């Protein structure tokens, strides 16, 4: 550790904090104090860690050790209560993180809803979902997604992924110990292209922040080898796969990544995925008017998912500037859903959240760059 580089506590696990304590000639129990302060108390500066002697706090500051919580740069509040945050990191890069009181009707944990709503209800919102980003921008280039227009700038560190959650919990004055918080890795970026940092963040969120694995869902555009790795993880969220098309030709046009990992490989990975008790693989399908929303597409989806313990979330396209597709009519969405349901597939339509503030699925693109665009 040189004195000129910033070292962030956020993102370090127990072992790393232990090593830090050792380097500073501090007793091993400092690791526990730091864990508590950073992940449970959610301090924002080393100065605020009141369990440490003043001298040690000064020493940490001297060595350029900071906590590393992202700064809330902007906050947009939707008419439906959704809040879109623009969060900035130490190097000036930023991502978007979304707070959705009551969820969006589509997250994977909803099927299990109903157990502990009481306390949340008393607070007036029942439950909430935080949608976090895994990269600055995205490299996958899905044709219907605004984030794709940014390209990928860089991966987020584990600390930056966890930091989004801490910043929102703090701003909303909630905690996973008292409130019913769901977490979805469905913001900017492809989590499975930043796999190691993503998994490290998951472990910290479960073991130190105290979020339940069963209330966390990660969505992938279909990085097949990582789906296999993910299935072997001891601590892992639920899996969601962005299907978005019913055959290879169509999927390759909409998601160029399909050239590398085609539907055959993707569906085989989903089929082989080791599910836990009462767990299902969630599929997401963005409906595009007259492109992939026809009855024949629904029938192809039924064939693809045959024999998989699946749950389907349909999402009517959320529009945006530079996106050359149209949102299907409600009737087309309902007809598509009916075909899947008739075939025995558990199918839900995800309610768009925060469309008016560009917070909905596929609309995250860093405000600054779309602030002047008209909101449909
Ligand atoms: N990169 C990951 C995580 C992002 S999840 C993934 O692709 O799964 C974001 C979800 O929103 C994906 O299911 C994606 O298919 C969907 N989506 C993207 N653009 C959209 C849009 N314009 N309207 C509705 N949903 C969209």
């Amino acid at each position: 550790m040189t004195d000129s580089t910033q070292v962030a506590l956020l993102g370090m696990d127990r072992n790393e904090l232990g090593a830090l304590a050792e380097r500073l000639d501090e007793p091993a129990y400092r690791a526990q104090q730091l864990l508590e302060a950073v992940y449970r108390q959610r301090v924002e500066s080393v100065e605020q860690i009141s369990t440490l002697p003043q001298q040690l706090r000064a020493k940490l500051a001297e060595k350029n050790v900071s906590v590393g919580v992202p700064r809330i740069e902007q906050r947009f509040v939707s008419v439906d209560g959704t809040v879109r945050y623009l969060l900035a990191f130490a190097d000036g890069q930023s991502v978007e993180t979304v707070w959705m009181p009551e969820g969006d009707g589509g997250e994977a944990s909803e099927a299990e809803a109903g157990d502990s709503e009481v306390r949340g209800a008393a607070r007036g919102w029942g439950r909430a979902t935080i949608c976090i980003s895994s990269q600055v921008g995205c490299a996958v280039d899905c044709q219907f997604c605004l984030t794709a227009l940014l390209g990928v700038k860089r991966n987020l560190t584990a600390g930056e992924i966890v930091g989004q959650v801490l910043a929102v919990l703090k701003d909303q004055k909630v905690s996973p110990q008292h409130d019913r918080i769901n977490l979805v890795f469905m913001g900017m970026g492809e989590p499975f292209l930043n796999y190691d940092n993503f998994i490290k963040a998951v472990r910290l969120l479960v073991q130190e922040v105290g979020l339940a694995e069963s209330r966390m869902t990660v969505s992938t555009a279909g990085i097949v080898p990582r789906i296999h790795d993910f299935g072997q993880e001891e601590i892992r969220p639920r899996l969601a796969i962005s299907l978005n098309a019913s055959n290879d030709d169509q999927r390759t046009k909409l998601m160029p990544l399909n050239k590398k990992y085609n539907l055959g490989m993707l569906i085989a990975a989903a089929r082989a995925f080791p599910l836990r008790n009462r767990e299902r693989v969630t599929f997401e399908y963005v409906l595009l008017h007259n492109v992939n929303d026809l009855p024949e597409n629904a029938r192809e989806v039924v064939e693809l998912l045959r024999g998989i313990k699946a749950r389907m979330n349909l999402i009517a396209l959320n529009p945006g500037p530079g996106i050359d597709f149209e949102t299907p009519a409600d009737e087309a969405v309902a007809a598509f859903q009916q075909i899947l349901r008739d075939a025995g597939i558990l199918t839900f339509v995800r309610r768009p959240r925060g469309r008016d503030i560009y917070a909905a699925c596929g609309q995250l693109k860093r405000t600054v760059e779309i602030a002047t665009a008209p909101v449909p």
Side-chain angles (χ1 to χ4, degrees):
M1 185 170 69
T2 69
D3 282 8
S4 58
T5 42
Q6 280 284 334
V7 178
L9 295 174
L10 196 52
M12 290 193 195
D13 59 21
R14 184 178 294 276
N15 289 337
E16 289 163 324
L17 290 170
L20 176 70
E22 207 178 308
R23 281 204 300 280
L24 295 170
D25 289 322
E26 289 290 325
Y29 64 77
R30 296 287 182 222
Q32 182 62 31
Q33 290 176 314
L34 290 169
L35 279 176
E36 291 273 335
V38 171
Y39 298 108
R40 296 278 166 155
Q41 287 176 34
R42 302 196 282 272
V43 295
E44 279 164 338
S45 69
V46 165
E47 186 48 44
Q48 288 175 1
I49 310 179
S50 55
T51 49
L52 301 182
Q54 189 55 55
Q55 217 182 355
L56 176 53
R57 287 183 246 172
K59 183 153 92 181
L60 287 169
E62 226 168 81
K63 304 249 177 212
N64 278 322
V65 176
S66 63
V67 178
V69 190
R71 192 166 45 81
I72 298 178
E73 205 157 72
Q74 292 192 58
R75 211 191 255 102
F76 297 85
V77 183
S78 163
V79 290
D80 67 18
T82 299
V83 182
R84 176 166 62 95
Y85 292 92
L86 184 66
L87 299 181
F89 303 111
D91 68 347
Q93 293 284 6
S94 54
V95 296
E96 302 195 333
T97 305
V98 183
W99 163 262
M100 291 173 281
E102 311 248 342
D104 64 2
E107 67 273 18
S109 46
E110 194 190 54
E112 288 77 41
D115 47 318
S116 60
E117 311 235 347
V118 185
R119 189 188 167 103
R123 303 174 64 110
W125 47 264
R127 65 200 165 84
T129 299
I130 302 174
C131 177
I132 59 175
S133 296
S134 55
Q135 299 180 304
V136 181
C138 188
V140 178
D141 204 25
C142 301
Q143 299 299 295
F144 41 79
C145 181
L146 273 183
T147 306
L149 301 177
L150 292 173
V152 69
K153 305 255 159 82
R154 67 169 175 85
N155 282 335
L156 295 187
T157 63
E160 289 168 336
I161 296 173
V162 174
Q164 294 169 65
V165 179
L166 300 187
V168 173
L169 291 176
K170 183 144 205 151
D171 193 56
Q172 294 292 334
K173 302 185 178 58
V174 294
S175 82
Q177 280 69 38
H178 301 118
D179 306 288
R180 197 186 151 92
I181 309 288
N182 297 316
L183 189 67
V184 295
F185 292 82
M186 299 189 184
M188 298 168 73
E190 168 50 49
F192 283 9
L193 290 180
N194 184 17
Y195 189 83
D196 293 346
N197 292 340
F198 152 72
I199 278 292
K200 186 178 185 197
V202 164
R203 291 187 190 135
L204 290 169
L205 287 165
V206 171
Q207 295 174 330
E208 309 305 342
V209 181
L211 285 156
E213 265 173 283
S214 58
R215 297 221 173 110
M216 300 176 27
T217 302
V218 62
S219 178
T220 179
I223 314 297
V224 170
R226 294 293 87 74
I227 295 177
H228 291 293
D229 296 342
F230 183 65
Q232 303 309 309
E233 298 289 347
E234 213 159 295
I235 298 179
R236 65 158 177 82
R238 295 162 184 273
L239 174 67
I241 294 175
S242 295
L243 186 64
N244 297 337
S246 63
N247 59 61
D248 271 318
D249 273 0
Q250 187 179 63
R251 195 163 191 272
T252 300
K253 280 189 200 126
L254 298 174
M255 304 173 72
L257 157 105
N258 193 66
K259 273 180 272 183
K260 191 160 181 191
Y261 306 118
N262 64 29
L263 276 177
M265 299 161 78
L266 183 61
I267 296 297
R271 209 176 288 282
F273 192 76
L275 289 170
R276 296 175 178 165
N277 237 351
R278 295 183 24 203
E279 192 184 5
R280 292 169 190 271
V281 181
T282 296
F283 288 87
E284 294 147 289
Y285 194 102
V286 183
L287 290 162
L288 311 170
H289 173 63
N290 260 342
V291 173
N292 67 356
D293 68 338
L294 307 171
E296 66 211 59
N297 299 120
R299 286 190 287 270
E300 283 182 332
V301 169
V302 168
E303 290 312 314
L304 283 175
L305 300 192
R306 207 170 278 289
I308 301 180
K309 238 182 114 190
R311 167 199 166 99
M312 174 61 86
N313 283 342
L314 300 175
I315 317 170
L317 175 79
N318 293 310
I323 300 299
D324 287 333
F325 297 99
E326 287 166 47
T327 306
D330 291 348
E331 296 73 47
V333 176
F336 200 97
Q337 178 181 30
Q338 197 57 49
I339 294 173
L340 267 51
R341 285 199 163 165
D342 288 346
I345 300 172
L346 191 65
T347 308
F348 300 87
V349 177
R350 197 184 275 173
R351 187 155 52 97
R353 296 298 307 271
R355 255 192 201 172
D356 56 336
I357 53 158
Y358 279 101
C361 301
Q363 292 189 310
L364 302 185
K365 191 186 176 283
R366 287 165 75 216
T367 347
V368 272
E369 286 155 76
I370 54 169
T372 53
V375 172

